[in-house]
Amino acid sequence: MVIIYYKQVTSTMDIAHDYASKNFPHGTIILADIQTEGRGRLRRKWISPEGGLWFSIILYPSIYLKKKIDCLGILISVAVYKALDIFLKEKDILNFKWPNDLELNKKKVAGILLESIYENNEIKYIIAGVGINLFVEQSYFQKYDIDATSLKDLVLVEDKLIILKEIRNQILSHIADYPDNWDYVFQFYKSRFPYIGSNAVNRLNGKEVKIVDIDDNGSIILEEENKIKKYPWGGISLEIKRITY
Ligand code: BTN
């Protein structure tokens, strides 16, 4: 297993693209303690202080996954969930927020970013970036007014490499087992997605929507202005409306 470690980088995504362009193998991991220019979906900044688990993994998807690339995000989300669950004091306490977030008490604890590189109209490789607020101090989120939380008080081991290796194994086996595992993976994801029926705002156009379902290609189905619309993985950002009592 290749894990390339840096104390500090701009973004593990940039470094992983460099290695992938030099044909580093499937499953190569770039890990950093701190990122100065961490990025999230839709060009958002991803704040990456010491204590987090910030890494990117180089993937060469199979022909099946190349045709169903939206499913890859769900496979990786479920793989990360299952790996984390092993190391948490309480079991099965996280939930998914479509498309790529893991939450604890409906606050973000992890996010996944997929960047694909094409050659001759075909995917050459994908870099999957995973950011987990593993041991980040809780006070950090309050200080910077970030609506997120940390797993710090819930993690059973202190060595983040042990967790990283389990996540890597889960990601690679979930990808290798596709498509045979899809029904199971999809049901696992959906049963831990608590937002069906919730109202949300489509951040791309500011419109109010209702979350109707997730289809088995990983697309979200929304009711927007009395019409049913489908958005693929990563094609939309939703702000779920919280019910406040
Ligand atoms: C999101 O929720 O928008 C995705 C966040 C992905 C963050 C990770 S941290 C490791 C890798 N390097 C980055 O710059 N981003 C990803």
Side-chain angles (χ1 to χ4, degrees), residues 10-14 30 35 37-42 44-46 48 53-56 100-101 108 110-115 128-132:
T10 50
S11 161
T12 57
M13 301 303 282
D14 298 337
I30 314 300
Q35 299 184 112
E37 288 168 41
R39 57 179 180 263
R41 286 178 56 238
L42 308 170
R44 290 199 203 105
K45 195 171 163 50
W46 180 265
S48 319
L53 179 55
W54 323 125
F55 72 92
S56 297
N100 61 348
D101 295 352
K108 184 156 174 163
I112 292 154
L113 175 68
L114 299 179
E115 294 181 350
V130 180
I132 304 172

Side-chain angles (χ1 to χ4, degrees), residues 162-222:
I162 296 177
I163 301 176
L164 174 62
K165 285 178 187 166
E166 180 61 34
I167 295 175
R168 178 189 183 271
N169 290 344
Q170 293 274 358
I171 290 176
L172 293 181
S173 65
H174 274 73
I175 288 174
D177 292 348
Y178 183 84
D180 296 346
N181 60 354
W182 181 248
D183 287 349
Y184 167 80
V185 168
F186 178 61
Q187 286 312 324
F188 187 96
Y189 184 95
K190 228 175 128 175
S191 64
R192 288 159 183 81
F193 175 71
Y195 296 116
I196 287 174
S198 294
N199 294 321
V201 174
N202 178 349
R203 288 199 184 105
L204 295 185
N205 57 19
K207 290 195 175 140
E208 300 234 347
V209 296
K210 186 173 194 158
I211 299 172
V212 177
D213 209 350
I214 297 173
D215 80 1
D216 67 0
N217 287 315
S219 300
I220 198 152
I221 301 169
L222 303 176

